[in-house]
Every structure is written in structure tokens, then in C-alpha cells.
Amino acid sequence: QSALTQPASVSGSPGQSITISCTGTSSDVGGYSYVSWYQQHPNKAPKLMIYDVSKRPSGVSNRFSGSKSGNTASLTISGLQAEDEADYYCCSYAGSSTSVFGTGTKVTVL
Amino acid sequence: QVQLVESGGGVVQPGGSLRLSCAASGFTFSSYGIHWVRQVSGKGLEWVAFIRYDGSDKSYADSVKGRFTISRDNSRNTLYLQMNSLRAEDTAVYYCAKDRGWGSFYFDYWGQGTLVTVSS
């Protein structure tokens, strides 16, 4: 149950697009299509942004999109806005009713 | 609306025990699995444990297996986490999180968290 690998930080200017990667193994990201992404603002609980690799829950902006290739999942934020500045975590099912989170990425809007 | 309210956190000595509770409302508690997720201050999220909607299946992270026990009382709409043999590395904010459904391991609603500090 090793944490999935994410870049520590990603930044972009308002209006730009950024992509956050999430690398695991064939035992988690690569083995299942059960990848989700969470946004966490300081001192707040996380919020589900993407599930089933690329689906958005009701109420989540379509500026957020997800994808997966092999052992790596990605979250793309298009039309970056100031309110998107937060920490982002990927998460994958890891078999045997267990789950593993990514190391987290701090997104900065320049 | 869906609400999850954790309680029971506090300061405990290494080797001690603590029981966390999570009171749920706004949804049919007995129909959904629930998870515990923790976060060390300034660090990332760590999945801790899961219990199926009817309590028939439980699972744990390797880091807490054998020390923590998840349980639920569907008549009280309440989730529990019994934590024994606590270590300094268990110090964290503990969140309960509702499973989106069917044991999907997607966490669609979260509580505000309760802080556990293990220190002498």
C-alpha cells in the first residue's frame, strides 16, 4: 500500500490549462478503473471532483477532466481560476477492499 | 442534506486507546459503506478503514491492521473507530467519509474531522 506518486506542485496563470499526474502500479491505478480525484482547500475537508477515472459528480465544473493510461492517471484543469488554488489528491482502488491515495499536489494560480 | 460529524478525538499517551464516533444524517445510513481517512497536519491523505453498509465486510490499511477496529450501529446512524496500541505516527485528523455506493471506494461526503494526538 505505497502512496501513488504525484508532483509536489503545479502552477499556471489564470485561463491556462494544467495537468496533474498520478502514477501507481498494476496493482492499483493500472489494474482498476476506480480512480478518483479530490480537491482540498486549506483547513477544509476534501471534495470529490472526479470518479471512475473521468466522470464528474453533479455540481463539479466541466473545467475538470480526468483520464488514465496504463499505470498513470491524470487530472486536467482547463481555464484555470483563482478558486482552483488548492491541494489535489488522486485515489485508486487497490484490491481486497483497500484504497490508496496519492502524495498530493499543490496547485498555485499565478 | 448529508452530514457527517466526527467526535472522540483528543490527546492520548503512546500505547493508549481511543474510540472515535461519526454521527450521520441526511441519507439512509444503513445503505452505504463508510470509510475512515486520516491526514497528518500539513501532509497527505491516508485511507484507514472501510465497513460495508451492513457491517459484513471490513478492511484496513496495513499501517493500522490489528490495532484499529471499525464498526457501525445502523440503529443509531453511527460509525465507530476503536484505536488501540496507539503510536505517535497515528497523530492526525481523522475524517469519516461516505462511500458513493456499492463499495465504490469513492468518498462523496466528508465530515469536518477530529484531531487525535498521541503524545506523552
Side-chain angles (χ1 to χ4, degrees), chain B residues 6 12 21 23 26 35 41 47 59 78 80 84 88 93 117:
Chain B
E6 302 93 338
V12 60
S21 298
H35 304 259
S41 178
W47 175 83
S59 54
T78 302
Y80 303 100
N84 298 331
V93 172
T117 302

Side-chain angles (χ1 to χ4, degrees), chain A residues 10-89:
Chain A
V10 173
S11 62
S13 299
Q16 286 187 330
S17 292
I18 62 168
T19 297
I20 303 167
S21 62
C22 169
T23 301
T25 69
S26 58
S27 296
D28 37 63
V29 175
Y32 306 93
S33 290
Y34 299 132
V35 175
S36 52
W37 289 88
Y38 300 84
Q39 177 191 65
Q40 187 180 33
H41 287 107
N43 300 312
K44 297 292 187 183
K47 175 185 177 184
L48 177 64
M49 303 300 284
I50 294 286
Y51 68 98
D52 280 354
V53 175
S54 60
K55 296 179 181 177
R56 283 186 309 276
S58 174
V60 172
S61 171
N62 59 9
R63 298 185 298 104
F64 292 84
S65 61
S67 62
K68 190 188 87 161
S69 177
N71 295 339
T72 299
S74 299
L75 174 71
T76 297
I77 309 174
S78 57
L80 199 61
Q81 299 180 0
E83 68 213 47
D84 300 332
E85 187 161 291
D87 293 327
Y88 291 82
Y89 295 91

Side-chain angles (χ1 to χ4, degrees), chain B residues 39-62:
Chain B
Q39 184 171 33
V40 174
S41 178
K43 302 295 184 183
L45 300 168
E46 181 187 14
W47 175 83
V48 173
F50 164 74
I51 186 167
R52 202 172 125 106
Y53 68 95
D54 58 359
S56 63
D57 182 33
K58 304 174 186 180
S59 54
Y60 302 90
D62 288 345

